[in-house]
Amino acid sequence: MDDRRSSFRSRTLLEGHVIVPGRSSHMGCTVLDLSEAGARLLLDWETPLPPEFEIRIPRRRLSRRATVVWSNGRDVGLKFVDGASPDPSQEVPKLEPAGTGAPDEVARILEEARSRLARVLERPADQVRLRVEIDY
């Protein structure tokens, strides 16, 4: 099968939210695949999406504007159209000085390293395991 993706896409099972401009609510979804360029979603229900919207993935602290590239019912392929959202509630916190503790930041860094290693090794990210040892 011909894969036309511009960047490596890793399989995920992450909670996501589609935020439509001008509406006060959001629609839930599951993020099945994720890359730097886009994502594949499984919407909670079948509904047409507007030309442009925001996708938020809380566990990854990611918020991006996106457009639909393809759709097959509830299964939707997205292309990200810009960088991270300016929404401060979705920003990734800066790394705190050593010793102050930042478990969420450590988890984010490890997940990013795992994804990068998977790309280099040409393996799915769920097949890569990392172990961290810290000497004081």
Side-chain angles (χ1 to χ4, degrees), residues 5 7 9-10 14 17 20-21 30 32 48 62 81 84-86 100 111-112 117 124 135:
R5 294 180 184 135
S7 60
R9 188 167 283 191
S10 60
L14 298 168
H17 304 280
V20 179
T30 302
L32 301 174
L62 179 69
V81 293
S85 167
T100 63
E111 183 59 31
E112 181 179 310
L117 284 169
D135 293 330

Side-chain angles (χ1 to χ4, degrees), residues 42-63:
L42 180 62
L43 301 174
D44 285 354
W45 60 85
E46 189 173 340
T47 186
L49 294 173
E52 192 170 295
F53 56 91
E54 184 178 354
I55 179 71
R56 288 186 185 167
I57 306 169
R59 190 164 179 200
R60 296 280 175 95
R61 295 182 180 179
L62 179 69
S63 182

Side-chain angles (χ1 to χ4, degrees), residues 100-131:
T100 63
D104 290 341
E105 180 69 5
V106 171
R108 186 191 65 77
I109 291 168
L110 287 172
E111 183 59 31
E112 181 179 310
R114 187 171 73 97
S115 294
R116 287 181 178 181
L117 284 169
R119 282 194 298 271
V120 169
L121 297 170
E122 297 179 352
R123 296 289 222 184
D126 60 354
Q127 291 181 356
V128 176
R129 303 283 182 265
L130 299 179
R131 186 171 81 193

